[in-house]
Amino acid sequence: MKALKILALCLLFVFLLAGGVYSSDQFIEFTKIFDNVTVSAGSYVDSSIIRLDGTRPDGYFVFCPEVSATGDPTLKFELLISYTDTKDSSFLEPTGVSDIATGFTKTSGSGSNGKDCFSVDFNGIFGKYFKIRATETGGADDATLTGYLGRQ
């Protein structure tokens, strides 16, 4: 019995040294949701659809766009949600949810290189699926967009 207690204490000690319990709350995953797509002047493109199944209601999302262009396009990024299915007609921009970013250009971001990251705020709204819409609002030039979505 004494040997069993010593073994249990040793296992507990090793467990604590290893960092304790791995929690899914700490897991961070990045997914490419725009893959070098062209956003035509005055038009929009939608990201791939993201399922929210298994995501904590208070989970964190971050959107990281990378924009390049030969001209001077301006982009707006907005959140679209569907609570039923993945048909395009099911997605809507929820009332009270602000755009993710507006006025984004090839020189935006802290390095003035068209790369940045933004928090995605659901403002208490939830659904089964969501996607991000990128709209070229300048109306003059096309943009090339790659974008990643991080979630915890």
Side-chain angles (χ1 to χ4, degrees):
M1 189 63 151
K2 185 176 181 178
L4 192 56
K5 287 181 182 179
I6 291 173
L7 178 62
L9 284 174
C10 287
L11 288 174
L12 178 61
F13 182 69
V14 169
F15 176 75
L16 291 173
L17 283 178
V21 177
Y22 174 77
S23 169
S24 62
D25 292 351
Q26 298 169 351
F27 181 74
I28 298 173
E29 172 185 50
F30 273 87
T31 305
K32 188 183 281 189
I33 59 172
F34 290 105
D35 192 2
N36 206 33
V37 297
T38 298
V39 185
S40 299
S43 188
Y44 69 87
V45 295
D46 290 340
S47 73
S48 54
I49 295 169
I50 298 97
R51 289 183 64 100
L52 290 171
D53 295 355
T55 302
R56 295 176 29 214
D58 62 344
Y60 298 101
F61 290 86
V62 63
F63 173 60
C64 301
E66 298 177 1
V67 174
S68 61
T70 54
D72 291 314
T74 303
L75 295 174
K76 169 178 83 167
F77 301 106
E78 57 194 322
L79 176 70
L80 302 175
I81 292 200
S82 170
Y83 49 88
T84 55
D85 57 45
T86 58
K87 295 178 192 168
D88 280 342
S89 61
S90 298
F91 285 88
L92 55 92
E93 185 177 11
T95 301
V97 175
S98 299
D99 291 336
I100 297 167
T102 59
F104 197 84
T105 69
K106 66 182 182 183
T107 59
S108 292
S110 60
S112 299
N113 58 1
K115 298 178 182 180
D116 209 343
C117 288
F118 302 95
S119 175
V120 179
D121 184 3
F122 286 86
N123 197 27
I125 305 295
F126 60 92
K128 191 170 184 177
Y129 306 98
F130 82 95
K131 60 185 175 179
I132 294 174
R133 175 167 288 167
T135 304
E136 197 290 315
T137 58
D141 295 307
D142 297 349
T144 302
L145 171 64
T146 297
Y148 299 88
L149 182 78
R151 72 165 145 189
Q152 179 183 26

